[in-house]
Amino acid sequence: IGEQVSLKCSFKSSSPITESLTVDWTYRPLTGGHMETIFHYQSVPYPTTVGKFKDRISWVGNVAKGDASIAIQSPVMSDNGTFICSVKNPPDV
């Protein structure tokens, strides 16, 4: 609670890393409900501009090193839930 938390995500790809690579982070609350996209990356980071994680997510990854991690500032108990990292590097998915 209150301290920045890192959500780690690592990947390997059989294709060279290009600007076509995308990273999507989705979130579903512990209480259930719909998945929501909270972060998108394609060449540059696109943190969400709406919802509970607005202005609290930062990119800490390095796709050249197979790292697609993010950080969440000022976490609270209600942030608990399922976080999913999805990396696509066409043609390797």
Side-chain angles (χ1 to χ4, degrees), residues 36-74:
E36 65 176 290
T37 298
I38 58 168
F39 186 88
H40 176 74
Y41 175 94
Q42 184 168 7
S43 298
V44 295
Y46 296 95
T48 185
T49 56
V50 297
K52 67 187 301 179
F53 295 105
K54 179 181 188 291
D55 299 327
R56 295 201 294 135
I57 294 182
S58 54
W59 173 251
V60 293
N62 180 339
V63 293
K65 295 182 176 175
D67 184 357
S69 303
I70 60 172
I72 300 176
Q73 279 73 42
S74 305

Side-chain angles (χ1 to χ4, degrees), residues 1-80:
I1 298 292
E3 293 185 15
Q4 177 175 300
V5 61
S6 294
L7 299 182
K8 303 291 186 193
C9 176
S10 59
F11 66 93
K12 288 185 168 62
S13 178
S14 58
S15 301
I17 305 298
T18 69
E19 61 278 353
S20 298
L21 178 139
T22 61
V23 177
D24 284 292
W25 278 90
T26 54
Y27 164 79
R28 176 184 285 132
L30 271 186
T31 52
H34 70 284
M35 296 293 290
E36 65 176 290
T37 298
I38 58 168
F39 186 88
H40 176 74
Y41 175 94
Q42 184 168 7
S43 298
V44 295
Y46 296 95
T48 185
T49 56
V50 297
K52 67 187 301 179
F53 295 105
K54 179 181 188 291
D55 299 327
R56 295 201 294 135
I57 294 182
S58 54
W59 173 251
V60 293
N62 180 339
V63 293
K65 295 182 176 175
D67 184 357
S69 303
I70 60 172
I72 300 176
Q73 279 73 42
S74 305
V76 293
M77 284 303 289
S78 63
D79 291 340
N80 256 338

